Amino acid sequence: AQELRRLRPDVILIEGPPEADALLEHVPGLEPPVALLAYDQAAPSRAAIWPFAVFSPEWQALRYAAAHGIPVRFCDLPAAHTLALDEPDTDHEESRVRVDPLSVLAEAAGYDDAERWWDDVIEQRRDGGPSPFPAIAEAMVAVRAELAPDPETEREARREAHMRKVLRATLCAGYERIAVVCGAWHVPALLDLPPATADTRLLRGLAKTKVAATWIPWTHGRLAAATGYRAGVRSPGWYHHLFTVPDRPVERWLTEAARQLRDNDQPVSSSHVIEAVRLCEALAALRGRPLPGLEEIADATSAVLCEGAELRARLVHDAMVVGERLGTVPPTTPTVPLQRDLALHQKRLRLKPEALERELVLDLREERDRERSALLHRLNLLGIPWGTRTRDSVRSRGTFRETWTLRWEPEYDIAVIEASRWGTTVTAAATACVHDRAQHADLPTLTSLLEDSLLADLPEAVTGTVAQLAQRAAEDTDIQRLMRALPPLARSARYGNVRRFDAKALRTIATELLSRICAGLALAVTGLSDDAATAVTTDIDTTHTAVILLGGDAETEWLDTLEAVAPRENIPGRISGRIHRILYDSGRLTADTLHQRLSQISSPGTPPDRTAAWIEGFVANNGLLLVHDTALLTLIDRWLTSLNESAFITVLPLLRRTFGSFQPAERRAIAQHVIHGSLDGHTPDQPVDTQQAAPAVATVATLLGLPTHP
């Protein structure tokens, strides 16, 4: 900014796509961080982005030109060519290594950190000194001449050829004082202009595509080098602070850190800030730095403000280093119709896109909250996950409450542009997207899509999906697919009234699916492997939950089917145990009958691994059942103690997995029953061998710091 004021150029050329020249009129209304977005109109996912922060040289040049009425234009290779060429931004030749000129210069100066070297010699220069740009240009000429005299890739050669082409045209237009704002690496290629013939030949016949360009909001997080952005910096929040707070930046930074600590109930006083500033200055002097930098501030924050609590200091410091913020663009910025419609919804429903994560709790009995929920569900259908459903911290048995976590990422603007192929409004685009996905979806995916459409309040999509569902359900004969398709369909049928949807048709299809499941269940669970049995057990659980939602005759039909399948001997033990558990919980199986079945399954004639699998299926994740039903626990205990060594070793992994799923309190209660011999009046067959247990007891006592006794 100082150099532009000193030079007072007649025209400014900026490294960037010429397609953005038409967007320069919007610069006064932009609030960085923002980014130029250029995308292929035929395939919006093929896009390129040029981000700008307030401290970006390109942004300062744009602001200067706008404030002084100076012509400005972009001089890089047009995006129409770069997107059509579809070349990755890396070298095609594996033998070539991309040169980092700053690292080379920093190493020559005795630094091991290129960014810190740049801070010391450029960013922290005192006002009034000579211009650094001639020295930077000279350094780049030397580095490039020695390490990479030719452009690293053909793409880089084309870019520099186009920059020279624009520079020649600007000179021919009569401009004398021309400022070119570009990466310093390109300076040697622009200082001397060779004959135009070679550049013209290099640029002739390049592929081209139809490109559109616009401004989009960006974030500091996406400017950080940690995200993989090659031209990024480690600390955009710090550079933003330096650029916007030139007066006492260290003092103001530490004051803000102290405020954040106090907001988190940490005792920090003004004297802490004063001492931290003094420590920063002392560290800078010891390290030979012109001014305190980010490393000195981090050390002072940890040592003084946080009194050595490194983790606490790191949390506050990292939040400020990135300094997450989301830029804004004016409403007049060119957008696709879908973007405009989304912006209107966001404004009407008071859902402002924000870079920081926040929680949103919706009450679906309220009209506005119901519309907010529908909008977020529609965006998810379009592949724009602005909101993510989370588990509500408030326990509620109703269906009128939703909790969302909202966080707007810059790439969602690209996703919106890509989704515009489906329609010009969010509603129309989501409906068209559902119709297309429904054409190729299998039955479980189709019912999930139906549930999502219902939550998104898309009546046309629901109607079309129901028609597809009725056809697919009549044709599908796979019982497992039918079982996986039932739960979302049952939820939709049960809770459709919350979304003001007549769910009678859904209930009809759900009951038809259930009838086919019941007819084929016995055959589907016969002769399965262990892995397949595990998957089917999960499907039985989710189907049972869905049937409970349907209730009435559907529940009766389902339990009748399970009751008929339960006694069969040719089904896997895990599935048999799970079916018995469902029947027992539903009141279809008495305790006496259950104990009789378990006695049969644990008899000596049954393979131990089948018995263990049956027990796992029966008690899965619920140790309270064994805590309260000591008769059941007694049967399991007697079976377990009757096993020989070989059989015990065989079933041990299954039993460990089963009992490992119980809560610690449940395991302790079961152990107490066994220790005290209170298993339905049963006493242990053998007393505890205290002599054999003594070494283990002594070891545990030592670990717990307890006195040991002989």
Side-chain angles (χ1 to χ4, degrees), residues 289-303:
R289 305 197 67 180
L291 290 172
L294 197 56
E295 293 83 1
E296 288 73 30
I297 288 179
D299 292 340
T301 301
S302 175

Side-chain angles (χ1 to χ4, degrees), residues 686-706:
Q686 296 180 348
V688 175
D689 188 336
T690 55
Q691 184 175 0
Q692 187 175 0
V697 173
T699 300
V700 173
T702 301
L703 291 174
L704 298 177
L706 302 175

Side-chain angles (χ1 to χ4, degrees), residues 656-709:
R656 289 187 64 178
R657 184 171 64 189
T658 301
F659 282 81
S661 66
F662 298 164
Q663 295 297 321
E666 296 170 349
R667 293 200 297 268
R668 282 196 298 270
I670 293 172
Q672 289 298 321
H673 281 308
V674 176
I675 290 170
H676 297 298
S678 57
L679 302 183
D680 197 24
H682 171 66
T683 57
D685 295 329
Q686 296 180 348
V688 175
D689 188 336
T690 55
Q691 184 175 0
Q692 187 175 0
V697 173
T699 300
V700 173
T702 301
L703 291 174
L704 298 177
L706 302 175
T708 58
H709 302 283

Side-chain angles (χ1 to χ4, degrees), residues 225-241:
T227 62
Y229 175 45
R230 199 182 70 198
V233 294
R234 288 198 302 267
S235 47
W238 167 246
Y239 287 119
H240 178 89
H241 175 79

Side-chain angles (χ1 to χ4, degrees), residues 486 507 510-512 514-515 518 543-544 546-561 588:
L486 185 62
R507 186 177 182 85
T511 54
E512 290 176 357
L514 179 62
S515 296
C518 291
T543 302
H544 181 66
V547 169
I548 296 299
L549 291 178
L550 294 173
D553 295 339
E555 185 175 359
T556 302
E557 181 182 10
W558 170 247
L559 293 177
D560 287 344
T561 301
R588 288 294 191 98

Side-chain angles (χ1 to χ4, degrees), residues 32-36 49-59 115 217-237 239-240 321-327 409-411:
V34 293
L36 276 172
I49 294 170
W50 291 261
F52 304 120
V54 70
F55 52 82
S56 298
E58 300 89 346
W59 175 254
E115 196 165 313
W218 207 247
T219 65
H220 276 174
R222 285 294 185 268
L223 284 167
T227 62
Y229 175 45
R230 199 182 70 198
V233 294
R234 288 198 302 267
S235 47
Y239 287 119
H240 178 89
V321 164
V322 175
E324 191 62 282
R325 63 181 63 232
L326 180 68
E409 299 286 359
E411 56 264 29

